[in-house]
Amino acid sequence: MDSSGKILQFDRNAAAVLARNPDDLCGAPFGDMIVGGADGALERLLAAVAAGRETSAMLAIETGEGTTHDAVITVHPMSGGDPDLSALAVIRVPVPLPDRFLDPAVIRRALLEDSLPRIGATLDLDQLARGLMDILVPHFCNAGGLLLLESLVAADESPEQPQDGSHVLRRMAVSFDDGDQAWDAAFPTGEVLTYPPGTPYVQCMDGGRPVLARLADEGAARIAEAWRRPPVAELLKGASMLLLPIIADGATLGFFVCTRSVAHRPFDAYDIDIGMEFASRAARFIESARRYGRERATALTLQRSLLPTDLSAPATVEVHHRYLPGGRLIEVGGDWYESIALPGGRVVLVVGDVAGHGVRAAVTMGRLRTAIHTLAGLDLPPAEALERLDLLMRTLGEREPHFATCAYVVYDAVSGRCEAASAGHLPPLMVLPGGEATYLDVPPAPPLGVGEGPIVSREFTVEDGALLVLYTDGLVENRSRDIDDGLARLRRTFGDGAAARPLEELCQAALDGVYDDQHRDDIAMLVARLRRIPADDHVTWDLPADPAAARRARGLIRDRLDRWGLGELSDSATLLASELVTNAIRHADGQITLRLVREEGLVLEVFDGTDGRPRIRRCEDGMAESGRGLHVVGRLARRWGVRRTGEGKAVWCELERL
């Protein structure tokens, strides 16, 4: 058209659609074809062209037959030898329903060029199935469905296909263009069904070839009777049905079932060729989505099975945790958390992050969690525990390079002391009862498995009722936010009054704003309210290093247990105290400390100034003379152990309260 909107040239389609007589188009104002007049719309399009811009608009167009269609009109600026030439208008008018399956070129373009590439990146199998059916209907058929072998898409292990030649398939998606909800009722999405031998469906699966069938009234009625679904007879009455096999790596995964009603042209050889090309391309997308879904499900199952299902802590320590998998693009990670109660009112709090994502990160995380439990059972100090983990990571790295970060904290609810160490991890956040939130100054160390470097722990005295927050970097860092901003936001979240708020509410507040990030890393978070064991529930005595100390220890324990109402434990507790104190007198120098803690169990601890670990010894003829007391301890106590302290060691044992 020229600058005024007068038509200068047109193609065959324009002549066939817009005018009864093609000669009437040349020189006609284009605005006359817009229903209701141009109404300024054409002038706006031409003004954009004059400014050198391409523009589009949705306008109602009147055809040569007098019908009206909503059309998308795109106007492109043009320049050439003709001074009157101004613009090229491309008019997209929907094909009339009776004619939409007539032109194979239109069908091929709609199926293979316009729609299919847009959904090729979809990795969710259910979403992909719906997208594929939305392409087939309405561009290729009136109604259809996508069915895949149940053994390929089942979440759990599914039985093998029957031996009688039938096939068990799941209907992944159904689509139809007439708005009749009977299609959904007769062919429900998600249904698992068996097609018996001899049916066209089994022929398609077994042969891996398309199957074309024309369903007369009798054929549709037989299908309805076999499936015991009367509406099927009316839905498929006189329909043309085409089954398109979905083949990947030489195996038939399922098929598309496509039907056209009697009001449209039946399927023919051209349609089979176009449909098979569509099915071939769709098979690659389906296989990619299926494999991704299986690997993702495997990784998620592995990861979630390795995360702790419950957390243990002394009765006075309240612990809450949160774990969020990554965003849609980063879902399986290596973040983990632990809270492990230790004897004597102590607890180990750990949060770690294995670098990377996927199954490898989840497996490494599981190994580290297992090692953490072992090291916690050995009562190692935080720095030494992380050194052992570093050695494990280096051993694993000899085969597959790995590294991880970890924060390891031990809290003693009797003394109120907290010992923390970090290997490349973000600093713990301490929230005091008065509302002040500060990051603990824990000496930095390289991540586990990275390289040489000392790991040093630091001790802090914790106010009663303070909060300790351990977290991974996904909580404070992402692609659009600097980590310093994230750390400042976390400290504000645990600001004034936070120490008195419920931990559930604080966890939710800390996670607000991170759910919608598609690139978000996974997040592990551990929040503990640290309270000391009441003073009346523990007692400490200093004893001299002489034989009389054992007798004195027995008397002190008997009196204390009577005050606590635990007289039934006196005999066992005094015998255990006598053995442990005697052992300390024999092998240690200097003062001995005896501590009794009433918690879920009754814990008896003996501290001395040596670091030698007592061991049960055996000789060929039975027990050796030395070490017989530990046999008594092992028989009477529910559990016992040794841990190192800053001044030496502590030998402890625990009795179960009746």
Side-chain angles (χ1 to χ4, degrees):
M1 66 180 73
D2 62 13
S3 58
S4 66
K6 184 175 66 176
I7 298 175
L8 301 178
Q9 293 181 7
F10 51 89
D11 65 2
R12 289 183 302 169
N13 287 335
V17 173
L18 298 178
R20 291 181 178 273
N21 184 356
D23 295 336
D24 295 341
L25 279 183
C26 191
F30 180 69
D32 291 349
M33 301 174 190
I34 301 176
V35 176
D39 194 23
L42 180 60
E43 285 74 8
R44 289 192 293 272
L45 293 175
L46 294 177
V49 168
R53 300 193 311 272
E54 174 187 324
T55 187
S56 298
M58 176 75 78
L59 298 173
I61 294 293
E62 184 177 1
T63 67
E65 298 177 351
T67 59
T68 301
H69 293 283
D70 289 331
V72 177
I73 302 175
T74 303
V75 181
H76 308 264
M78 297 186 68
S79 61
D82 188 346
D84 294 331
L85 187 62
S86 175
L88 170 67
V90 178
I91 307 166
R92 295 177 176 85
V93 181
V95 178
L97 289 179
D99 302 333
R100 57 182 161 145
F101 303 139
L102 293 181
D103 190 343
V106 173
I107 297 175
R108 180 180 293 274
R109 183 173 63 248
L111 286 185
L112 306 179
E113 299 176 14
D114 293 345
S115 303
L116 193 58
R118 292 200 296 269
I119 67 168
T122 303
L123 292 176
D124 182 271
L125 189 56
D126 292 325
Q127 183 179 350
L128 176 64
R130 291 191 296 269
L132 291 171
M133 291 311 305
D134 288 342
I135 296 175
L136 282 176
V137 180
H139 299 302
F140 188 70
C141 56
N142 298 114
L146 167 59
L147 295 100
L148 296 177
L149 287 172
E150 173 67 5
S151 59
L152 300 178
V153 297
D156 301 321
E157 289 294 329
S158 56
E160 296 181 358
Q161 294 296 318
Q163 300 299 318
D164 59 358
S166 59
H167 294 275
V168 179
L169 296 103
R170 180 187 298 185
R171 188 178 293 110
M172 303 298 297
V174 173
S175 187
F176 46 91
D177 64 0
D178 58 4
D180 188 352
Q181 299 304 316
W183 289 100
D184 271 334
F187 307 102
T189 300
E191 181 183 20
V192 178
L193 60 161
T194 301
Y195 289 108
T199 60
Y201 311 99
V202 174
Q203 295 174 15
C204 177
M205 291 292 297
D206 290 343
R209 296 187 301 272
V211 175
L212 179 60
R214 182 66 181 266
L215 300 177
D217 295 352
E218 297 80 6
R222 283 196 300 270
I223 293 177
E225 183 179 358
W227 290 355
R228 299 180 182 179
R229 298 176 185 179
V232 171
E234 187 64 29
L235 293 173
L236 298 181
K237 183 178 180 180
S240 175
M241 184 174 68
L242 176 61
L243 303 178
L244 302 171
I246 301 171
I247 302 173
D249 296 331
T252 304
L253 309 181
F255 56 82
F256 292 102
V257 53
C258 308
T259 62
R260 288 181 184 173
S261 66
V262 293
H264 297 84
R265 178 180 64 83
F267 292 110
D268 58 17
Y270 289 106
D271 295 312
I272 294 176
D273 180 65
I274 297 171
M276 285 303 296
E277 178 65 22
F278 175 85
S280 176
R281 298 188 187 184
R284 294 194 292 269
F285 299 153
I286 291 173
E287 180 66 4
S288 296
R290 186 187 69 84
R291 290 182 177 179
Y292 168 79
R294 182 61 59 87
E295 292 175 1
R296 173 177 171 272
T298 300
L300 286 175
T301 301
L302 173 64
Q303 180 192 43
R304 290 166 183 170
S305 66
L306 293 175
L307 287 172
T309 56
D310 56 357
L311 302 176
S312 60
T316 58
V317 177
E318 181 185 2
V319 180
H320 273 58
H321 73 278
R322 281 292 181 274
Y323 176 80
L324 288 181
R328 183 175 59 87
L329 300 180
I330 307 173
E331 189 157 7
V332 180
D335 291 13
W336 88 94
Y337 54 89
E338 280 291 355
S339 175
I340 307 170
L342 300 178
R346 294 173 300 119
V347 62
V348 172
L349 303 170
V350 184
V351 164
D353 183 3
V354 177
H357 304 91
V359 175
R360 287 179 55 191
V363 169
T364 303
M365 176 265 287
R367 291 171 172 172
L368 290 178
R369 278 199 60 238
T370 302
I372 285 287
H373 273 272
T374 302
L375 297 174
L378 295 176
D379 262 330
L380 296 178
E384 185 173 345
L386 291 183
E387 288 174 354
R388 300 285 184 92
L389 286 179
D390 180 61
L391 180 60
L392 172 63
M393 289 296 291
R394 293 190 200 179
T395 303
L396 296 176
E398 293 176 359
R399 291 171 295 182
E400 295 184 37
H402 284 286
F403 74 90
T405 65
C406 184
Y408 193 109
V409 179
V410 176
Y411 173 69
D412 189 333
V414 175
S415 64
R417 299 287 292 173
C418 182
E419 186 177 2
S422 173
H425 205 80
L426 294 169
L429 180 66
M430 181 67 71
V431 185
L432 302 180
E436 181 183 358
T438 58
Y439 289 102
L440 295 181
D441 184 17
V442 179
L448 304 174
V450 169
E452 300 291 339
I455 300 178
V456 181
S457 62
R458 179 163 294 175
E459 288 195 29
F460 305 88
T461 299
V462 180
E463 290 188 34
D464 201 34
L467 300 181
L468 180 68
V469 184
L470 302 176
Y471 53 93
T472 56
D473 57 357
L475 182 63
V476 295
E477 183 182 25
N478 61 22
R479 292 171 179 263
S480 60
R481 181 177 59 198
D482 185 81
I483 190 170
D484 290 336
D485 296 334
L487 291 171
R489 172 187 170 276
L490 182 64
R491 185 162 56 182
R492 289 194 300 271
T493 301
F494 288 88
D496 293 340
R501 294 168 61 186
L503 297 189
E504 182 81 16
E505 181 180 321
L506 290 172
C507 290
Q508 184 63 43
L511 294 174
D512 283 345
V514 302
Y515 295 100
D516 298 330
D517 187 357
Q518 297 298 312
H519 298 272
R520 172 178 51 77
D521 195 1
D522 53 335
I523 298 172
M525 180 180 180
L526 201 65
V527 182
R529 178 172 281 116
L530 307 178
R531 291 194 179 98
R532 298 185 186 183
I533 295 176
D536 190 50
D537 286 341
H538 64 89
V539 61
T540 302
W541 300 285
D542 291 330
L543 303 175
D546 59 59
R551 184 175 65 254
R552 174 171 170 74
R554 291 193 294 269
L556 292 171
I557 288 178
R558 193 177 298 277
D559 291 342
R560 177 59 62 165
L561 292 182
D562 288 340
R563 288 177 54 186
W564 284 347
L566 299 176
E568 67 276 6
L569 298 179
S570 292
D571 292 340
S572 298
T574 54
L575 180 55
L576 291 172
S578 180
E579 294 293 343
L580 295 184
V581 171
T582 300
N583 186 73
I585 294 172
R586 177 176 296 182
H587 299 287
D589 297 326
Q591 185 173 279
I592 298 170
T593 301
L594 174 64
R595 185 166 79 174
L596 198 62
V597 180
R598 178 178 61 176
E599 226 240 334
E600 292 183 355
L602 182 68
V603 179
L604 190 150
E605 298 172 297
V606 175
F607 298 82
D608 61 52
T610 64
D611 58 1
R613 180 182 178 89
R615 299 181 183 278
I616 297 178
R617 296 189 178 97
R618 295 182 181 274
C619 62
E620 295 180 358
D621 298 328
M623 281 187 300
E625 179 68 21
S626 175
R628 285 184 297 179
L630 293 181
H631 283 276
V632 176
V633 173
R635 288 298 185 117
L636 293 180
R638 182 169 65 177
R639 52 179 178 165
W640 72 279
V642 183
R643 74 173 187 274
R644 288 204 299 272
T645 64
E647 297 77 23
K649 71 174 183 298
V651 184
W652 59 268
C653 60
E654 183 179 11
L655 286 171
E656 187 174 0
R657 292 171 59 179
L658 302 178

